[in-house]
Amino acid sequence: MKIGFGSDHAAIELKSVLLEHLKSKGYECVDFGAYSPDQKVDYPIAGRKVAEAIRRGDIDKGVLVCGTGVGISLAANKVPGIRAGVCSDCFTAKMVKEHNHCQIIAMGQRVVGTELAKMIVDNFFEAEELGGRHAKRVDMITQIERDYGYADAPIK
Ligand code: RB5
């Protein structure tokens, strides 16, 4: 599995920790930046990059980090077909994969410590998407995008 990592300048440290953690577990990891705390990268830029890479099929899943995890997930969720869930606990991390079929897990460097963050991503990547009623509800989310004409929008 190929995982893309993105952060703004406020969360480079946690992004790097999680990238190294998942790389050590055998995942193929790609860093979409930010790369230096001295260079400001606004969270919508990183969130969009990783989300569009998933939509194009360049990567399978994503890990996004900003100060809270909220801004960067909001940006990623604007890309049609992408579901990013903000997590600060292991239970939610499992649920966003099983029930919500999120391709992206988002976290806040200012919210979770590094050891908890590693456990959170482990719960996310070890969980499987569940079908049945959960798949039906995820389809209902996609239908909202279709109703607004977004689901099949081309990627720039
Ligand atoms: C940057 O200061 C901060 O606003 C950003 O990292 C994030 O928390 C936004 O949601």
Side-chain angles (χ1 to χ4, degrees), residues 131-145:
R133 66 184 188 279
H134 304 298
K136 180 178 155 244
R137 290 165 186 156
V138 173
D139 286 345
M140 289 169 73
I141 296 173
T142 308
Q143 188 57 46
I144 297 170
E145 294 179 337

Side-chain angles (χ1 to χ4, degrees), residues 114-155:
T114 52
E115 294 311 309
L116 175 58
K118 287 182 204 171
M119 291 172 77
I120 287 171
V121 291
D122 287 346
N123 273 269
F124 178 76
F125 285 103
E126 285 161 19
E128 299 288 342
E129 295 179 356
L130 299 179
R133 66 184 188 279
H134 304 298
K136 180 178 155 244
R137 290 165 186 156
V138 173
D139 286 345
M140 289 169 73
I141 296 173
T142 308
Q143 188 57 46
I144 297 170
E145 294 179 337
R146 288 197 195 100
D147 290 348
Y148 279 87
Y150 290 143
D152 302 308
I155 304 160

Side-chain angles (χ1 to χ4, degrees), residues 96-117:
V96 299
K97 176 72 87 55
E98 289 187 352
H99 289 196
N100 311 123
H101 298 189
C102 283
Q103 309 100 326
I104 295 176
I105 185 162
M107 271 175 287
Q109 179 173 298
R110 297 171 183 163
V111 181
V112 291
T114 52
E115 294 311 309
L116 175 58

Side-chain angles (χ1 to χ4, degrees), residues 5-156:
F5 293 76
S7 76
D8 65 359
H9 50 274
I12 292 173
E13 201 180 309
L14 184 56
K15 168 169 65 67
S16 302
V17 167
L18 295 175
L19 190 153
E20 291 307 321
H21 174 68
L22 290 169
K23 199 198 270 183
S24 76
K25 296 199 160 214
Y27 294 101
E28 188 179 350
C29 298
V30 185
D31 192 348
F32 286 79
Y35 303 109
S36 160
D38 302 327
Q39 193 187 352
K40 296 253 185 249
V41 173
D42 294 323
Y43 58 79
I45 292 170
R48 181 176 182 162
K49 268 189 192 172
V50 170
E52 288 184 337
I54 292 173
R55 193 177 151 99
R56 280 194 304 270
D58 294 346
I59 56 173
D60 304 298
K61 295 282 183 286
V63 175
L64 292 176
V65 198
C66 64
T68 59
V70 174
I72 202 158
S73 67
L74 290 175
N77 277 314
K78 292 296 178 191
V79 175
I82 297 303
R83 293 172 296 279
V86 186
C87 297
S88 49
D89 67 273
C90 293
F91 174 76
T92 307
K94 190 166 185 270
M95 289 299 110
V96 299
K97 176 72 87 55
E98 289 187 352
H99 289 196
N100 311 123
H101 298 189
C102 283
Q103 309 100 326
I104 295 176
I105 185 162
M107 271 175 287
Q109 179 173 298
R110 297 171 183 163
V111 181
V112 291
T114 52
E115 294 311 309
L116 175 58
K118 287 182 204 171
M119 291 172 77
I120 287 171
V121 291
D122 287 346
N123 273 269
F124 178 76
F125 285 103
E126 285 161 19
E128 299 288 342
E129 295 179 356
L130 299 179
R133 66 184 188 279
H134 304 298
K136 180 178 155 244
R137 290 165 186 156
V138 173
D139 286 345
M140 289 169 73
I141 296 173
T142 308
Q143 188 57 46
I144 297 170
E145 294 179 337
R146 288 197 195 100
D147 290 348
Y148 279 87
Y150 290 143
D152 302 308
I155 304 160
K156 281 192 249 167

